Amino acid sequence: MIIGIDHGYSAMKTKHCCFPSGVSAYEHEPYTNRGVLQFEGKYYVCGTGRQPLIRTKTENQNYYLLTLAAIAQEIQFRGIPPKADVVLSAGLPLTTFGREKRNFREYLLGKKNPAVFRYEGISYEIHISDVKLFPQGYSVMAVRPDVFVGEPSVLLADIGGWTLDIMRLDNGVPNATTCRSLELGVIRCQEEAMEIVRRDTGLSVTDAQVERVLAGKHCSVSEEAVRLIQQAGRTYIQRILSAIMECGFDLQAIPSVVLGGGAALFKRYVTPQDRLCRLITLPDVNLNAAGFERLAEQMLKR
């Protein structure tokens, strides 16, 4: 069984599941069974908040624990017995792919294989037989090749929680010299919006409230707070457009495909005055994971 996983700073995604990437450790059984992972004698609640920023995802065991939780959720969704052989398929930014590939593969394989754990009261025995790694963002071509048909050059922008990964595709092939990874993910927008609201109104709004307002949904905060958050969303998109231009891309000349958690935000706050050549947004947050899975399937078939 192949399971694709997108290890984000804000959320963990599989082909069918998505949950926040936070982990809270407990020495004793916690108050809830939801999202609880029991591993090596300790309890962890997975899905609380988001992952703190770390330089590499292999610095501590949090992403390994989140990987086990993601495997369990995907197995539950597919209705498969909790004892299984799994090929993991995951991704890394193209700019750091070569440097981090070996360490991340060994990290996901784990020190103990099979991994024996309990998740939400169910016992699992998962043997990770292999790990396939692919570039983030580019994997979208495996599931949505139609968006690139007839375009000789396309800018691909993957807006995640912490990073904005961009690359240009020429005739469907990544141009390696154009790949950039910028610290301009959606978390930056949320934090700046929270600070602006706190500074101008004295209100301490939450991440969840900011996220809801940015998505254009109703939220019971003051009209002034809503206006400031929406203004921060537009300012954030302007920063992204400016950063992309500074990297040498002209979005008024080539089409742009935007995916990841920030795709819907990008579509909402881009205006006609930005005069983009052609904008294609793919707001499905599970798209990268589905792409990793499809690429692994193709590789194993060959």
Side-chain angles (χ1 to χ4, degrees), residues 196-266:
I196 290 170
V197 172
R198 187 182 301 113
R199 183 189 65 206
D200 291 2
T201 69
L203 298 174
S204 295
V205 294
T206 67
D207 285 340
Q209 288 176 310
V210 171
E211 186 176 345
R212 190 170 181 84
V213 171
L214 289 174
K217 299 177 181 178
H218 174 72
C219 183
S220 296
V221 294
S222 69
E223 292 184 5
E224 177 66 7
V226 169
R227 184 186 67 80
L228 291 170
I229 292 169
Q230 292 173 340
Q231 188 178 65
R234 173 56 187 167
T235 301
Y236 168 68
I237 296 305
Q238 288 176 318
R239 286 183 62 193
I240 285 184
L241 294 174
S242 178
I244 290 174
M245 187 179 300
E246 289 173 3
C247 289
F249 303 104
D250 188 348
L251 295 185
Q252 296 180 8
I254 61 174
S256 51
V257 177
V258 183
L259 66 149
L265 179 65
F266 195 92

Side-chain angles (χ1 to χ4, degrees), residues 115-186:
V116 179
F117 60 95
R118 288 175 65 83
Y119 183 75
E120 295 186 343
I122 300 174
S123 297
Y124 291 84
E125 184 177 328
I126 304 298
H127 177 253
I128 302 175
S129 58
D130 199 1
V131 174
K132 304 293 185 184
L133 295 176
F134 303 97
Q136 289 175 192
Y138 182 61
S139 60
V140 70
M141 287 197 66
V143 288
R144 289 298 306 273
D146 54 293
V147 301
F148 303 94
V149 173
E151 297 290 356
S153 294
V154 174
L155 178 81
L156 188 63
D158 185 357
I159 308 177
W162 189 251
T163 60
L164 163 65
D165 297 309
I166 54 179
M167 68 181 78
R168 195 182 76 222
L169 305 182
D170 294 329
N171 298 313
V173 179
N175 186 322
T177 62
T178 66
C179 297
R180 301 287 188 275
S181 187
L182 311 175
E183 293 183 353
L184 274 177
V186 179

